[in-house]
Amino acid sequence: MPIKQTLRTRPVALLSVGHACVDVYQGAVAALVPFFVSERAYTYAAASGIVLAASLLSSVVQPLFGALTDKWAMPWLLPVSTLVGGAGVALAGVGGSYAFTVVAVAVSGIGVAAYHPEAARLARSAGHGSHTAMGWFSLGGNLGFAAAPLMVSAVITTGGLRASPLLFVPALAGAVLCAAALRGAKAPAATGGSARASRTAGRNDWASFMTLSGAVICRSIVFVGLGAFISLYVRQRTGGGEVAGTAALFVLYLGGAVGTVVGGKLATRYGRLPVARWSSALTVLAVAGVVLVPGPLLYACVALASAGLYVPFSLHITLAQDYLPRRVGTAGGVTLGLAVGIGGIASPLIGTVADATSLQTALAPLIALPALGWLLLRTLKEPETLEATTPRPPAPARPEPSADATA
């Protein structure tokens, strides 16, 4: 039994750590924004355009990779896309021109886009459809987000933007981990069969999937908006320097580590949709606190906002996959890619409003979006999973009592 359990959990653990190495580069783009503003004198709108370049291209390309993985298994994408994602961020600080920087982060976005659908499919397969396994996989990505501002701050504060090639190191480690995970995932031969079965069983509920995607978009706009500007905003509100801003971004991302684990446990007890709805309601109050509460208490509001945004993260993924059991790759590509990237489109708008007014005014509309997400989630019902739609084998018939026994 311990050997079987190791065969199941080791690939998931490796995928989780590899996911962290990839999502470092999603968090790194936002973490670089204050340095672009201070070192290159970019406006808020110009800096948010860099965030948009990474997120928008990733969002458009990711569903395409998801559709491809629905037809063909493409495990080689994991190490290759990890290296591409790291290379783009590593080059972002090298070129002095704005155009070069935008292209570099766009290349990173393509790498991140190529990684997620196939990695989510493999995590679902290696974890035998377990929500807990998907939670651990998501936790790795969230930890990568949390580590990004610390890593970027340590490198760029020391050597300036031209030290950005050092940021390629996590990509090298991630590629090695992905290769090891792929070897481990091949060990249980039944895994591939179960994954193929899950893609052909059940029916696709596109209406519920699109409604869920709308809720994910609302969450994404809030998360991307806070991620792009919370560092600068906290520095303004608290009067602190770069350390104060980096700490706030770290708190925002670190909440994912707690939120994902707590979300999985709460969903097991109360159900995925109720937990997702409660999280949206909490996020409304937390974002209002971020915008309106002054001083050190602002950090507590950032932490609450982080929890509200991250608790339903892995639940959104499994819900999407269960709404589209025949299109698991597409579900992952849209949920992890397109919906998230559309949220990035709002980033330049927030930056433009901030340039014209103030960051506080620009961030205020983010309070309403979790409420809209809550309304959308209220219309959804729990999807029929493979386990629910597969008839159970009949119980064995009890043996007839013998004549001697009845006598």
Side-chain angles (χ1 to χ4, degrees), residues 120-372:
R121 183 193 67 81
L122 187 60
R124 180 184 176 97
S125 176
H128 301 275
S130 166
H131 301 321
T132 302
M134 186 60 73
W136 283 108
F137 171 73
S138 301
L139 172 62
N142 296 337
L143 288 174
F145 261 106
L150 300 180
M151 179 188 70
V152 169
S153 179
V155 171
I156 307 302
T157 301
T158 302
L161 286 171
R162 291 199 173 275
S164 63
L166 292 174
L167 300 176
F168 188 64
V169 173
L172 294 174
V176 173
L177 290 167
C178 288
L182 294 177
R183 286 195 298 270
K186 291 177 183 177
T191 299
S194 64
R196 285 190 295 270
S198 67
R199 279 186 277 175
T200 56
R203 64 179 184 86
N204 292 327
D205 185 353
W206 286 99
S208 295
F209 174 75
M210 295 304 293
T211 302
L212 175 66
S213 298
V216 174
I217 289 172
C218 291
R219 173 204 175 274
S220 172
I221 293 174
V222 176
F223 180 75
V224 175
L226 291 179
F229 296 106
I230 195 66
S231 181
L232 293 168
Y233 181 67
V234 168
R235 286 162 64 176
Q236 290 180 5
R237 294 281 285 176
T238 63
E242 290 182 356
V243 174
T246 299
L249 191 58
F250 176 69
V251 170
L252 178 66
Y253 290 165
L254 184 63
V258 178
T260 303
V261 174
V262 172
K265 292 183 180 296
L266 291 175
T268 301
R269 183 170 182 179
Y270 300 107
R272 291 176 290 182
L273 284 172
V275 172
R277 293 170 190 144
W278 298 340
S279 300
S280 295
L282 172 64
T283 306
V284 174
L285 299 176
V287 175
V290 170
V291 174
L292 301 174
V293 172
L297 283 177
L298 182 57
Y299 287 98
C301 296
V302 172
L304 285 176
S306 177
L309 290 167
Y310 270 117
V311 160
F313 184 76
S314 65
L315 309 182
H316 288 158
I317 300 172
T318 58
L319 280 167
Q321 290 177 331
D322 287 339
Y323 282 133
L324 299 184
R326 297 175 180 266
R327 295 288 184 269
V328 171
T330 300
V334 172
T335 309
L336 290 168
L338 184 61
V340 173
I342 290 176
I345 296 176
S347 184
L349 178 60
I350 295 172
T352 301
V353 173
D355 284 330
T357 56
S358 69
L359 266 178
Q360 185 177 33
T361 301
L363 293 175
L366 299 182
I367 300 171
L369 289 170
L372 177 58

